[in-house]
């Protein structure tokens, strides 16, 4: 275990998953349909027509999965709660069987000595709320607060760490503008409204979690690390626009209580001009947090490009006056993502530079890689590329901490191979392989590597 990064005492090692990606049991115990059920069942939306109907069957196999976590030695497990299990139509009384499932999971974790970390929204919006406008309308934020109150009322005593939203950029822009995530809309201004309402929903949920007396509250973002393709002013401007539209539109309101100012038609500016913003919203959004969750996978190389749509209100998130270029001379994983670990350090030190003391402690709530895994003749999965990826990214993380960024924990994405959204089951991010025919779980080499790293920290 030479060359392994050493983390300070108290640093939390964890693993993460999300409800729709692993649970299956889509029609059981009163669960209602979510936007991902509808999207994945719509022909042509997901690769191979894959759906989360069965996924890893975690709903029934959670004791086995918790045992895998226990043997791995993680101190914390990040999972998400499926809103449509708790409120099948997104409003009204709780479905007791849905609450019971998470209650059983939490008890199983606590018995295994693992701290639960719950995400309230990892993208499975009840379809009934989408039918009323989804995140384009403010009412959804209010419903989200009610749902949060129900869940916190049942689990606050046993779940210390809470995450309101996972990657709201994906919900707003991949969901309502690019159309590659549920509900698959391709719109302009309504996607901005969705972004704002997600932030409002976050603020309302923070209040509910505080009222329930939970120990730690945070939100998980997926800040991009945008690098200009060349040194030209045009490409540097493009990188700044990408940064504003992907990152600052979230971090500025949450951490600094403002939308990013700009003399360009960027989304921060556009949101500021819209009537869906109400007085007091920014105070609600900018409530103090105990931690910021950061998901990081890869950097983005961006170059200047003209707008295609002249009318700003009709522009989608793929018409941003910048385009992504291919990162040269680096390894690419099976997502075709460039592997450039030092950008992880740069991203984190950049956050610290921008927000200073307003930056709360950070938990890396996701980091990992999809690789071309194969089962060897010996029955094992020798995923050397994933081991290298994890080792290099954890080292880059440690470097950021040495440079003064307060990082408290790291959750590997993901415990299990799972339903990778529009890409279906072909992309494997797990440190445990799942055979989808038999549901057999096989810990990969990366699992054993991570276990040793954690063990080395237990002294
Ligand atoms: C993130 C998502 C997570 C998973 C990883 C690969 O954007 O939060 O559910 O799909 O990417």
């Amino acid at each position: 275990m030479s060359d392994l990064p050493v983390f300070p005492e108290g640093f939390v090692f964890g693993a993460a998953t999300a409800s729709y990606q692993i649970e299956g049991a889509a029609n059981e115990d009163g669960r209602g349909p979510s936007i991902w059920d509808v999207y994945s069942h719509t022909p042509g939306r997901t690769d191979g027509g894959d759906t989360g109907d069965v996924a890893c069957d975690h709903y029934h196999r959670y004791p086995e999965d918790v045992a895998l976590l226990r043997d791995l030695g993680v101190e914390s497990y990040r999972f998400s709660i499926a809103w449509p299990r708790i409120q099948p139509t997104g409003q009204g009384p709780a479905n007791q069987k849905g609450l019971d499932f998470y209650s059983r999971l939490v008890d199983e974790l606590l018995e295994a000595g693992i701290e639960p970390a719950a995400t309230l929204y990892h993208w499975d919006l009840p379809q009934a709320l989408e039918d009323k406008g989804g995140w384009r309308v403010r009412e959804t934020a209010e419903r989200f607060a009610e749902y949060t109150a129900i869940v916190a009322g049942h689990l606050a005593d046993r779940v210390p760490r809470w995450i309101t939203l996972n990657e709201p950029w994906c919900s707003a822009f991949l969901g309502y503008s690019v159309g590659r995530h549920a509900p698959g809309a391709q719109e302009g201004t309504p996607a901005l409204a969705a972004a704002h309402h997600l932030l409002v929903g976050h603020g309302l949920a923070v209040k509910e979690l505080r009222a329930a007396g939970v120990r730690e509250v945070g939100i998980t973002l997926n800040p991009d690390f945008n690098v200009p393709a060349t040194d030209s002013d045009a490409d540097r401007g493009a990188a700044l626009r990408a940064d504003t539209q992907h990152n600052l539109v979230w971090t500025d309101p949450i951490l600094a209580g403002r939308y990013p100012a700009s003399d360009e038609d960027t989304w921060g500016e556009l949101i500021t001009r819209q009537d869906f913003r109400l007085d007091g919203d920014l105070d609600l959004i900018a409530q103090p947090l105990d931690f910021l969750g950061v998901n990081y996978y890869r950097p983005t190389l961006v170059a200047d490009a003209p707008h295609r749509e002249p009318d700003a209100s009709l522009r989608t998130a793929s018409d941003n006056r910048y385009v992504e270029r291919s990162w040269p001379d680096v390894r690419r994983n099976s997502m075709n993502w460039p592997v450039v670990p030092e950008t992880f350090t740069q991203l984190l030190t950049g956050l610290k530079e921008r927000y200073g003391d307003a930056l709360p402690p950070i938990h890396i709530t996701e980091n990992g890689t999809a690789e071309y895994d194969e089962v060897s003749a010996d029955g094992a999965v020798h995923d050397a590329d994933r081991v290298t990826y994890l080792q290099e990214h954890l080292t880059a993380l440690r470097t950021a901490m040495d440079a003064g960024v307060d990082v408290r924990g790291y959750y590997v994405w993901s415990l299990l191979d799972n339903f990778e959204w529009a890409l279906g089951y072909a992309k494997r991010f797990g440190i445990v392989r799942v055979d989808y025919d038999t549901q057999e779980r096989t810990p990969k080499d990366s699992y054993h590597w991570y276990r040793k790293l954690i063990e080395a920290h237990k002294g």
Side-chain angles (χ1 to χ4, degrees):
M1 291 247 103
S2 61
D3 295 337
L4 279 190
V6 179
F7 288 86
E9 218 184 305
F11 187 84
V12 174
F13 290 102
T17 62
S19 47
Y20 191 67
Q21 295 180 277
I22 63 165
E23 285 178 0
N27 300 308
E28 255 171 83
D29 290 344
R31 178 185 179 278
S34 81
I35 54 174
W36 270 99
D37 294 288
V38 172
Y39 184 86
S40 65
H41 278 270
T42 305
R45 288 298 205 180
T46 63
D47 287 3
D50 288 350
T51 75
D53 286 2
V54 178
C56 307
D57 195 30
H58 170 79
Y59 191 77
H60 300 113
R61 291 167 198 263
Y62 72 90
E64 184 183 348
D65 295 335
V66 172
L68 282 165
L69 289 162
R70 189 197 54 224
D71 293 348
L72 181 59
V74 286
E75 285 129 342
S76 181
Y77 172 55
R78 175 182 178 228
F79 62 97
S80 80
I81 294 167
W83 187 349
R85 283 198 196 283
I86 308 301
Q87 289 176 299
T89 60
Q91 57 189 329
N95 169 33
Q96 191 58 43
K97 286 186 171 168
L99 285 170
D100 290 347
F101 168 67
Y102 294 106
S103 198
R104 288 196 300 275
L105 172 65
V106 164
D107 287 345
E108 189 89 10
L109 288 165
L110 292 173
E111 264 167 47
I114 299 165
E115 252 190 14
T119 305
L120 285 157
Y121 187 73
H122 201 128
W123 306 349
D124 31 14
L125 184 72
Q127 179 63 33
L129 292 185
E130 179 55 30
D131 294 341
K132 293 183 178 172
W135 289 106
R136 302 174 191 87
V137 300
R138 195 176 178 98
E139 199 196 321
T140 297
E142 285 152 14
R143 295 287 87 79
F144 181 61
E146 288 165 13
Y147 152 72
T148 300
I150 293 173
V151 176
H154 282 79
L155 298 178
D157 56 333
R158 287 165 289 159
V159 176
R161 183 167 302 134
W162 291 78
I163 294 161
T164 54
L165 304 175
N166 177 70
E167 301 190 357
W169 184 88
C170 296
S171 302
F173 298 119
L174 288 182
Y176 290 99
S177 197
V178 178
R180 264 310 260 164
H181 273 190
Q186 288 182 300
E187 299 166 10
T189 307
L192 297 176
H196 185 69
H197 295 139
L198 280 152
L199 284 167
V200 169
H202 158 75
L204 293 171
V206 170
K207 280 183 140 181
E208 296 296 344
L209 292 167
R210 295 287 181 218
V214 308
R215 191 185 78 193
E216 285 174 46
V217 179
I219 183 170
T220 282
L221 303 177
N222 54 325
D224 250 5
F225 187 70
N226 296 294
V227 177
T230 72
D231 245 1
S232 72
D233 286 350
D235 285 350
R236 277 210 285 239
L240 199 64
R241 277 195 295 283
D243 204 38
T244 306
Q245 311 209 153
H246 195 110
N247 302 337
L248 305 185
V249 95
W250 308 104
T251 49
D252 273 8
I254 292 168
L255 301 177
R258 56 160 196 259
Y259 273 109
S262 156
D263 55 4
E264 310 253 8
D265 265 352
T266 57
W267 292 336
E269 167 108 347
L270 284 169
I271 289 178
T272 307
R273 283 196 238 127
Q274 304 299 326
D275 58 4
F276 51 69
R277 260 193 57 183
L278 305 184
D279 285 350
D281 278 359
L282 281 166
D283 290 340
L284 183 65
I285 294 166
Q287 290 167 82
L289 296 178
D290 302 301
F291 67 94
L292 176 68
V294 170
N295 291 353
Y296 189 70
Y297 291 92
R298 49 113 182 207
T300 317
L301 198 63
V302 289
D304 189 35
H307 274 312
R308 296 190 298 275
E309 168 58 58
D311 180 344
S313 68
L314 299 177
R315 260 178 224 144
T316 70
S318 22
D319 185 6
N320 290 322
R321 223 142 77 67
Y322 63 84
V323 285
E324 187 175 345
R325 291 257 187 271
S326 170
W327 198 290
D329 307 327
V330 291
R331 191 180 79 76
R332 294 177 168 274
N333 69 7
S334 75
M335 299 287 281
N336 202 28
W337 290 348
V339 177
V340 199
E342 63 271 23
T343 57
F344 195 14
T345 311
Q346 293 164 317
L347 172 89
L348 293 167
T349 53
L351 277 169
K352 179 73 190 168
E353 261 163 46
R354 182 170 178 93
Y355 296 105
D357 292 342
L359 183 70
I362 287 175
H363 277 279
I364 305 304
T365 38
E366 287 178 28
N367 173 246
T369 181
E371 300 291 349
Y372 301 96
D373 296 335
E374 274 171 27
V375 183
S376 299
D378 61 359
V381 181
H382 300 300
D383 55 340
D385 284 337
R386 183 174 290 105
V387 169
T388 305
Y389 179 100
L390 295 178
Q391 167 147 352
E392 290 180 349
H393 281 78
L394 277 156
T395 302
L397 171 63
R398 189 67 186 92
T399 306
M401 292 167 70
D402 283 338
V405 186
D406 183 1
V407 184
R408 303 282 173 92
Y410 174 93
Y411 293 80
V412 69
W413 184 270
S414 180
L415 175 69
L416 304 171
D417 289 339
N418 59 50
F419 175 76
E420 178 48 30
W421 308 111
L423 302 175
Y425 294 100
K427 304 294 177 205
R428 293 180 176 271
F429 274 91
I431 57 172
V432 173
R433 179 180 175 87
V434 175
D435 178 326
Y436 295 112
D437 294 329
T438 62
Q439 291 295 346
E440 193 190 344
R441 275 88 163 127
T442 306
K444 304 178 190 176
D445 282 4
S446 53
Y447 172 99
H448 299 294
W449 176 87
Y450 193 40
R451 194 168 71 79
K452 279 194 193 136
L453 176 77
I454 297 170
E455 205 173 73
H457 282 80
K458 291 194 170 153

